[in-house]
Amino acid sequence: MERNIMKRFSMPILVSGILLAASACSISDLVNTSPAPGTPDPDAAKTAAGAMDQYRGAITEFRAATSGYSTPAMYIVASALISDEMTSGEYPKEGNVSFSAASAFDSRNLLENERNGTIARGISDPWKGLQRTRITAMNSIAALRKYAPNAPKDYIGHAYALWGMAEVMLANLYCSGIPLTTIQFEGEYDYQPGSASADVYKHASDMFDSALVYAVDSLQFRYLAQVGKGWAQLNLNNYQAASAAVAGVPTSFVYYNRHSAVIPLSIGTPNFTTVLSINGGAVKLGFGTVSDNEGINGLPYRSSNDPRTASSLIPEWQDPEYPATEIWSPDRWTQNSPGNAPIALASGVEARLIEAEAQLKQGGAAWVSTLNDLRNSGFVTAPGSTDTTWNPGTGAALFEGNLPGLPSLTAPASMAEQVDMLFAERAYWLFLTGRRHSDMRRLIRQYGRTTNQVFPRGSYPTGPIRVYGMAVNASAPYAEVQHNPKYTGCINRDA
């Protein structure tokens, strides 16, 4: 077997940074070393410019996998549907005996439907995108070391941070038992069996540590790695380690996924934009609408009138076949130019929320003060701009002018109510950034709640089952079982 597997894997990324998003992800596809029609000379990768293109490809893959597809098949929308942030706007017709991918995620009827048609795509596409991010990041690191030794070391740190973020997201969305298969740059692939969720979070934390070694000059990349490590440690039930990880991250920090509504013809710098985003896609195409008190347990994202989760009814996007279906679009996605909105994937606000949770676990009143410092500081954005200066909040994205600070909170008496308050604040501040679903799983795993206390439940408006299912995560796609000889499926489906 030929060793240079990257002939088949890396070159489409090198050309445009987006072409691989349309290709298959299974290892069996990657080891076919016959060049695709139009594939450039693979030796182009063995240059400083080629190494930089691989680095850019890792950024592209991350953006596409997390907020770049206009379908339910990117991490943020899949995470929002399976939680209480969004509900499916794509309801099947009356009497339909199947679920769409969006409604399967939304109703959590995944255990019964994971091998079925379009639903399989909804399950497999986030998996493929996040695994591609891992592979592209690890290979870009090797390429930068070998062929671009004079490039800023911070690029290697950035790639490590994206690698870690992809693994945290895999562990968040999918069941325990995630194979961290590797494909070495100019070398072999190595199948891996499924790793327990805790081991994936630990490995991700190690990637963030590596990022911090290399991200010396770029505070943006360093803060991304710190927040990512804090997120991983929070999922490991290590609250003080999580708080220590984010120490020193300024509240004003934001790491954006930047997007363009138009496919770029070329990619020129490490800060290029990628095609599409969730604004005009997931909502307009009917894959999701902002929820409100979904399934009894859901938070009132719309009726609360909270500026952090503001949304608008979009009459022109109603489906004439389903006139009763309302499509509510989050204002942060459509306030300015649909398709161009930057999406926050890490922020200093999240750092403060991690610290607040560690303070709550430690006891005392400091956690409420931390939350109130965020609420009272207000938001500032640049009038007329599609960008924003955030002071401090991810919830303020793309609002014009100034918004007053939110009123202060008073700590409730019981610990259960205090936990509810903290997690509600996390839900509002981090709305539609891919955090809510993992928080709901943590409420079960780390705070002793039950699925029926946390996730939407009761009747569901469509599909053959008409009730919410009990799945709290998705399984790996069936292709993983077919092509990875070491993978045997989920270790368990627990939160």
Side-chain angles (χ1 to χ4, degrees), residues 57-58 117 135 146 188 196 203 221 228 247 255 303 319 348 354 403 412 422 425 428 457:
I135 298 299
K146 184 170 184 178
E188 268 292 3
H203 189 267
F221 299 160
Y255 178 90
S303 59
D319 189 332
I354 289 171
L403 292 175
L422 176 79
E425 283 296 283
Y428 283 103
R457 60 186 173 87

Side-chain angles (χ1 to χ4, degrees), residues 381-434:
T381 61
S385 173
T386 57
D387 205 340
T388 179
T389 301
W390 297 24
N391 184 18
T394 56
L398 306 183
F399 285 101
E400 296 189 3
N402 297 330
L403 292 175
L406 298 164
S408 295
L409 300 170
T410 300
S414 74
M415 178 56 71
E417 291 174 313
Q418 292 173 14
V419 171
D420 288 343
M421 177 179 285
L422 176 79
F423 275 76
E425 283 296 283
R426 283 185 58 86
Y428 283 103
W429 280 114
L430 304 177
F431 183 58
L432 294 174
T433 60

Side-chain angles (χ1 to χ4, degrees), residues 132-157:
R132 278 196 298 261
T133 299
R134 291 182 58 253
I135 298 299
T136 313
M138 71 176 69
N139 280 279
S140 71
I141 291 166
L144 287 167
R145 285 172 172 161
K146 184 170 184 178
Y147 295 111
N150 295 324
K153 300 302 181 187
D154 296 84
Y155 294 168
I156 293 177

Side-chain angles (χ1 to χ4, degrees), residues 199-286:
D199 291 331
V200 178
Y201 287 128
K202 290 173 185 175
H203 189 267
S205 188
D206 290 343
M207 297 303 98
F208 295 125
D209 283 338
S210 295
L212 292 170
V213 170
Y214 287 94
V216 176
D217 296 319
S218 171
L219 290 177
Q220 186 80 352
F221 299 160
R222 188 169 189 83
Y223 295 153
L224 170 64
Q226 286 184 255
V227 173
K229 182 175 180 178
W231 192 16
Q233 290 297 319
L234 209 59
N235 279 292
L236 285 167
N237 207 19
N238 296 333
Y239 300 98
Q240 299 311 313
S243 180
V246 300
V249 176
T251 307
S252 58
F253 159 69
V254 183
Y255 178 90
Y256 292 110
N257 270 1
R258 298 192 181 276
H259 297 281
S260 172
V262 179
I263 297 176
L265 296 178
S266 63
I267 298 170
T269 71
N271 294 319
F272 63 89
T273 57
T274 53
V275 62
L276 301 175
S277 76
I278 43 186
N279 349 330
V283 175
K284 186 171 182 178
L285 296 179

